[in-house]
Amino acid sequence: MEFGLSKEQTLLQDSVARYLDRHAPLERVRRYADDNEPRAQDVWDGLCDLGIPGMLICEEHGGIGLSVLDAALVSEILGSRVAPAAFVASAVMVPLAIAWAGSKEQQSRWLEPLAAGRVLAGAAVSEAAEARHDDAVRWDGSKLHGKALFALDFNADVYLVADHNRALYLVDAAAPGLERTQLSTIDKTRRFGELIFNGAPAELLPLSSDREVCSRVLDAGRIMLAADTLGAAQTMLNRAVEYSKQRVQFGRAIGSFQAVKHMCAEMAAELEPCRAMMWYAAYAFESIPAEAQLTTCHTKAHISEVGTFVARTATEVHGGIGFTDELGLHLWFKRIGANRQLLGGPQSLREEAARIQQLA
Amino acid sequence: MDLSYGSQYEAFRQQTRAFIEAHRHLAPQDLRFDREKTPVWQKLLIDNGYAARSIPKQYGGFGAEPDILKTRIIAEEFARAQVSPGMGGQGIAYLVPMLLDMGTEEQKQRFIPPTLRGEITWCEGYSEPNAGSDLASLTTSAVLDGNEWVVNGQKIWTSTAESADWMFCLVRSEPDAPKHQGLSFLLFSMRTEGIRVRPLGTMTGDSHFNEVFFTNVRLPQDQIVGRRGQGWEVANAVLLHERDNLGDPDATLLRFNALVDLMKRETVDGVRVLDNPVFRDRLMKIQGAVMAMRFNDLRLLSAKLNHKDASLAAMIVKLQGTELRHELEGLAIDALGELGILYGDGPHLRAGGSWQFMYMLYLGLIIGGGTAQIQKNIISERGLGMPREPKLKT
């Protein structure tokens, strides 16, 4: 019995962390956030060297065939460094969708370039989680119509799109009839956008007529977002603790005041169980099917709530400087804030959890 | 990741289940001490390796190699079957493991076997009116007079003092030493002359603990564990076993299931409480937190098995576990509306008033066994490495 990370998993996290610390430090993240460049190509290339885009793609198609837990561990590191990189859609949701629901031909056409990172994929499936207004995408048998908000990994070459029946399609970014608008959000470390389909040609993933596929793809995304929040919140807590040891007022480090210590203790007490929860949800996703859906909903809801609490409290520990742009702490605050809303906020996930158990 | 216990352990689980089914008619019906059944049941459990499992045979235990998973399986299966897992209490749970480590051979022989058999029950004399969170400042004194200790002073919050046979007690024996080095750990019978026990009523209406007064209580010199002045170290070895016990997530899960049933059963204007979205959301929020604590517990079990460090994950259990349980019991009271104020006996009462009882009891547990605030000091100082509060110059 072992409920913990293997040596390989720890090494994987270390290698991604080391790469990002060297090549995507805060100044690089800021440059991406401020300049609104579509992609941080250098960061992406580095992640490609590490095999990240193909981590969930089987070896037959040029990937390394790792587990969803491994992907969540990488997502945690990306969140911890607010990395300006595509991941949730491009390395997780889209490859999984193609592997589960694509034809053999689609798999051989798409998976290899995705694994190599030559093709970057976005995912526009938010309407399957919770549609706002009457936004929906419809399929007329050959083309897509309607609009999808909040495409993840927006600056992509191809998009995974869910229609109102939860069937899944791939749409080329350059397809005629596809209009793309980047949305201005709180989180400048990643790009989100709107896709408008005016009769855009698309290819159906044939096995996605089973609506379960779309649910599984959403759940995989939710686990990644939860892991990203876990990493970001852990960094905010670490930075609050470090700051409280350096900052001196009334002749002593503010970290020696109980008011400050207790804020940090409360953050740690809330956050530490989230680590085991993320591990379990990501592991259960593949290995304990009976528990997978419920655990995913609760994990994203719970970690989002804890993340919000840590983001606020860690900022407060920093005092006024935490509110300014000086330390860049707000980049983490906003990343956590965005993750909370994406693919289902805590309230709707808890309602889904109740439905799964026939309690609603 | 490998969440299975393995075939050897599954066989042990089946064997445990079979034992429980074959013998459950002999078990005492509730957790209270049953003069007739409890000692017989306890002996049966020890003889078969389901209690005192890893305590050596020469001290009255079963004598198996320590095995964390088997211990866990035994706990799980007795809980599942809702059959008494044998006697607990401060003697068996805390004192015996400490004596095995730190007691003399004579002390082990004298105290462990009758404690395991339930012939000696124990209470713990630590806290004092002026030494609560700052336990090491306690002042109950022990002075050596010839070959006897003479104890004077007062303890408080002493659970089971009214019924216990013996007390293990922390006293100040070296008044001139620094406070942590001036303590000794003594054992004495509660029948000794000069001991007076006064129960403290609590907000639940029950007495969960007592005040104990000592006036010239005399005991033999050798009823000390460890050396003179080593009491703090000995007491900490006991506390280590104690903190583990509060905030058990499996108990919280059982209680959560009862809360779901309650919210399905209770109605407001003909609508189930569960169908009120506000209540449902609160329920699901608690379920998420219960899940997180269960997975945290699984991580701790695994860390213990595989000798990995998870000290921060362990440090937060008492704080989070007791807070969560208090919140859970409070939701049940809200779900009951006006019915939630019923208590004691009488019509309309739900679950024997246990929701109110537990709601209050868990407030007591948030405070007891190291207050929430002391827990936060420990988490921040030992877990996060934050600086200690500067000492006042005296």
Side-chain angles (χ1 to χ4, degrees), chain A residues 8-251:
Chain A
E8 292 75 20
Q9 286 168 328
T10 310
L11 278 174
L12 172 68
Q13 286 201 310
D14 287 349
S15 67
V16 179
R18 253 200 326 273
Y19 168 75
L20 291 172
D21 288 341
R22 200 170 313 143
H23 299 284
L26 185 55
E27 310 86 77
R28 179 67 189 94
V29 178
R30 278 185 188 280
R31 191 142 45 81
Y32 180 73
D34 297 343
D35 295 354
N36 216 2
E37 55 183 315
R39 285 183 202 173
Q41 192 63 44
D42 50 335
V43 178
W44 180 248
D45 290 343
L47 292 175
C48 290
D49 291 342
L50 292 170
I52 301 303
M55 62 184 303
L56 291 183
I57 294 170
C58 63
E59 290 175 43
E60 182 197 341
H61 294 296
I64 35 182
L66 294 177
S67 69
V68 165
L69 173 60
D70 296 314
L73 295 171
V74 169
S75 191
E76 179 191 350
I77 300 297
L78 295 173
S80 72
R81 271 74 175 170
V82 289
F87 182 74
V88 177
S90 202
V92 178
M93 296 169 77
V94 182
L96 288 179
I98 295 172
W100 291 334
S103 66
K104 283 254 169 294
E105 184 276 325
Q106 284 171 319
Q107 290 175 4
S108 22
R109 188 152 44 86
W110 287 111
L111 292 178
E112 192 277 326
L114 277 172
R118 284 199 309 282
V119 164
L120 216 146
V125 296
S126 285
E127 280 67 28
E130 43 178 6
R132 291 281 149 174
H133 308 296
D134 49 0
D135 293 339
V137 177
R138 282 167 203 282
W139 174 246
D140 69 6
S142 63
K143 293 190 167 67
L144 289 174
H145 304 269
K147 68 176 170 180
L149 284 174
F150 302 105
L152 304 172
D153 295 345
F154 177 66
N155 289 112
D157 308 301
V158 61
Y159 295 96
L160 178 77
V161 179
D163 75 4
H164 70 294
N165 285 322
R166 298 191 150 211
L168 298 172
Y169 304 84
L170 293 175
V171 183
D172 194 299
L178 171 63
E179 209 178 298
R180 302 188 294 162
T181 312
Q182 186 172 308
L183 296 169
S184 174
T185 74
I186 51 165
D187 179 15
K188 304 291 184 202
T189 66
R190 292 169 301 178
R191 304 282 182 253
F192 307 94
E194 177 177 6
L195 302 182
I196 300 173
F197 306 98
N198 302 309
E203 50 178 296
L204 174 72
L205 297 179
L207 297 180
S208 69
S209 55
D210 175 359
R211 296 161 61 100
E212 274 308 293
V213 174
C214 183
S215 302
R216 293 274 291 164
V217 169
L218 268 178
D219 280 353
R222 288 164 171 169
I223 291 171
M224 297 308 135
L225 292 169
D228 192 275
T229 291
L230 173 70
Q234 185 68 57
T235 298
M236 289 195 82
L237 168 58
N238 295 349
R239 288 186 62 176
V241 168
E242 278 319 302
Y243 183 80
S244 78
K245 291 179 190 170
Q246 313 294 330
R247 171 77 174 164
V248 173
Q249 288 285 274
F250 306 101

Side-chain angles (χ1 to χ4, degrees), chain B residues 23 34 37 56 62 66 73 76 97 105 115 119 143-144 175 203 223 225 300 312 353 363 379:
Chain B
H23 299 90
D34 177 327
K37 282 187 156 182
F62 179 71
I73 288 169
E76 283 173 359
E105 186 53 37
T115 300
E119 292 159 16
V143 176
L144 208 52
M203 66 158 71
Q223 283 176 203
V225 183
L300 291 176
L312 187 55
L363 176 55
I379 293 166

